[in-house]
Amino acid sequence: MPGGADETSKIVYKPVGPALGAVSGVAAGGLFKQVWKQLGHDDAPDATDEERTWREVIRAAVPQGAIFAGAEAAVDRGGAAAARRLTGTWPG
């Protein structure tokens, strides 16, 4: 339905999506740091840190990836739900 409610919802959501992505990245980064410290570690290793082992790098990357993916999904879903409340249709 060109120009209809579906299109309006997508137009409303489109500029908000990247901002929500940035917010989810910042939130996920903070959450990961807290989780990593709760697990008894200092700073998480960088993948390019020559002094860290493969095991250390991968052990940090797996929960970090899960936290980032979960935060992104939660924020995207919340943004889509907000767009539906504003426009009456789902933006996806």
Side-chain angles (χ1 to χ4, degrees):
M1 143 174 20
D6 290 342
E7 202 61 33
T8 301
S9 183
K10 288 178 184 178
I11 290 169
V12 167
Y13 186 72
K14 191 160 191 121
V16 175
L20 292 176
V23 168
S24 70
V26 170
L31 179 59
F32 173 70
K33 285 181 182 182
Q34 289 179 354
V35 168
W36 193 246
K37 286 185 184 199
Q38 288 293 320
L39 293 173
H41 302 286
D42 293 328
D43 291 334
D46 272 341
T48 57
D49 186 347
E50 188 176 18
E51 303 299 316
R52 305 304 275 275
T53 67
W54 277 87
R55 173 176 249 149
E56 291 174 303
V57 169
I58 300 303
R59 190 179 291 162
V62 169
Q64 184 178 33
I67 289 168
F68 271 78
E72 181 182 17
V75 170
D76 283 349
R77 185 72 180 193
R84 180 173 57 187
R85 282 192 301 274
L86 287 173
T87 65
T89 60
W90 195 259

